[in-house]
Amino acid sequence: MRQRDKAEKLRGAGGFDAFYGELFGGRWQRLKDALLAEGVHVELRYGQGEPYFLDPASVCAALCLPVRGAGRVLDLCAAPGGKTLVLAGNLDDGARLCSNERSSGRTARLSKVVAQTLPPELAGRVDVSCSDGATWCRRETECFDSILLDAPCSSERHLLQDSKYLDGWSPARVKSLAVEQWALLSSAWRLLAPGGSLLYATCALAPAENDGVLERLAKKCAGAEFASPAEMEHCAAGNAETFSGALAFPSGLSVPALLAAAERTAFGLQLLPDSASGTGPLFFSLMRKRAAEDAAAGNG
């Protein structure tokens, strides 16, 4: 079958099933059932602030980013704010966190989450901004010591639960999102200071949005060093130990347990709900920019 004919057939709910069935084989039905099931959540709380509930996989990923020792930290696509709250709990005294979102409506929600959840002294060190992360690098470069990029993605778990969006699905969605993700990642790379760390994450299942985007970075940027699972585990353990907020995980779940359940990919780790106690899906990869990296290496 020609590629064009095949693409025409892979549309809507049936095309979605066929596409992901080809990716995951006999595992797909079990994974799909887990995606349709109610997710699990961890409660995050700072003192008397409002509690915030988020997927344990998101906590796990955010804790894998080195924040201690970083003077300027960036959460590039931050709304609704869960990962910003986790990063804030490990900021050094005097360090600042820029929490950015390109949508004005989502930025307003992000500001509210920061104000209601974090204690005033910590919220005062979080700068909420509304900017297109893909073009930020045109204004400044190499200015952040640690960056978290939780990129917009296919979000198949949510897609499956909304028939309107599922009926309009096609493989073109994955391709267009991968283009957007590359624009954001290449911008984030240029914003990262030499010696700094960048954590890329998505809740996508498709490898094109995960390893595929990072493979492009690895080819274009010789200064990119990808952390091993052991290095990510070490960082997460250290951050969890010094975290200034409180995390109440569901019974039987913890950061070490989730990292042990994560499946290794070419460039990172992936938590899938059928094998990680209902958490995820979440893909995440930690990379470091070697100090000798050329200032323009991320441009492409």
Side-chain angles (χ1 to χ4, degrees):
M1 180 185 295
R2 293 181 303 171
Q3 286 296 108
R4 184 176 178 180
D5 293 338
K6 184 177 181 181
E8 285 296 321
K9 289 182 178 295
L10 291 177
R11 290 185 177 276
F16 181 91
D17 262 340
F19 181 84
Y20 288 97
E22 185 173 339
L23 285 177
F24 289 94
R27 181 184 183 179
W28 171 236
Q29 188 58 54
R30 183 175 75 250
L31 177 55
K32 182 181 176 182
D33 290 342
L35 292 166
L36 286 167
E38 184 177 354
V40 298
H41 297 89
V42 58
E43 178 183 316
L44 186 158
R45 185 187 288 272
Y46 287 88
Q48 300 304 309
E50 293 287 331
Y52 188 92
F53 298 88
L54 69 165
D55 192 317
S58 294
V59 174
C60 186
L63 288 174
C64 285
L65 177 67
V67 174
R68 293 291 184 181
R72 293 190 72 194
V73 181
L74 172 63
D75 189 352
L76 191 56
C77 300
K83 294 184 180 68
T84 277
L85 300 178
V86 176
L87 296 179
N90 280 108
L91 289 176
D92 283 345
D93 292 341
R96 300 200 70 85
L97 168 61
C98 180
S99 187
N100 179 72
E101 177 58 44
R102 68 181 178 183
S103 159
S104 58
R106 286 168 62 83
T107 300
R109 180 183 177 191
L110 174 62
S111 295
K112 186 176 181 180
V113 165
V114 168
Q116 291 183 339
T117 309
L118 295 176
E121 64 276 14
L122 191 50
R125 292 196 281 127
V126 178
D127 304 308
V128 177
S129 63
C130 183
S131 179
D132 183 357
T135 61
W136 192 331
C137 61
R138 297 176 188 174
R139 303 190 299 274
E140 54 184 340
T141 59
E142 298 191 338
C143 50
F144 291 99
D145 304 302
S146 289
I147 299 176
L148 190 151
L149 170 56
D150 184 5
C153 68
S154 285
S155 190
E156 291 93 347
R157 186 166 204 158
H158 297 100
L159 191 69
L160 270 171
Q161 297 172 4
D162 192 320
S163 59
K164 181 180 74 172
Y165 290 105
L166 185 60
D167 289 343
W169 181 90
S170 79
R173 175 183 172 89
V174 174
K175 292 181 179 179
S176 63
L177 282 165
V179 171
E180 180 180 358
Q181 290 153 356
W182 169 249
L184 286 163
L185 180 59
S186 58
S187 179
W189 188 253
R190 294 191 67 190
L191 291 168
L192 186 65
S197 297
L198 189 158
L199 189 133
Y200 175 82
T202 83
C203 56
L205 297 175
E209 299 182 47
N210 299 326
D211 280 339
V213 178
L214 295 179
E215 182 179 15
R216 187 171 179 181
L217 180 75
K219 288 178 178 178
K220 285 181 173 287
C221 306
E225 294 180 336
F226 291 87
S228 68
E231 290 171 319
M232 285 193 277
E233 183 177 350
H234 178 75
C235 184
N239 281 334
E241 187 174 332
T242 59
F243 184 67
S244 64
L247 294 167
F249 281 86
S251 178
L253 282 181
S254 65
V255 172
L258 285 172
L259 286 169
E263 301 174 32
R264 189 166 186 172
T265 72
F267 291 98
L269 298 172
Q270 191 167 33
L271 287 162
L272 296 172
D274 64 325
S275 60
S277 303
T279 66
L282 197 74
F283 169 88
F284 52 102
S285 174
L286 177 66
M287 61 214 80
R288 179 178 174 272
K289 188 177 193 178
R290 282 203 293 263
E293 176 73 349
D294 185 271
N299 188 16

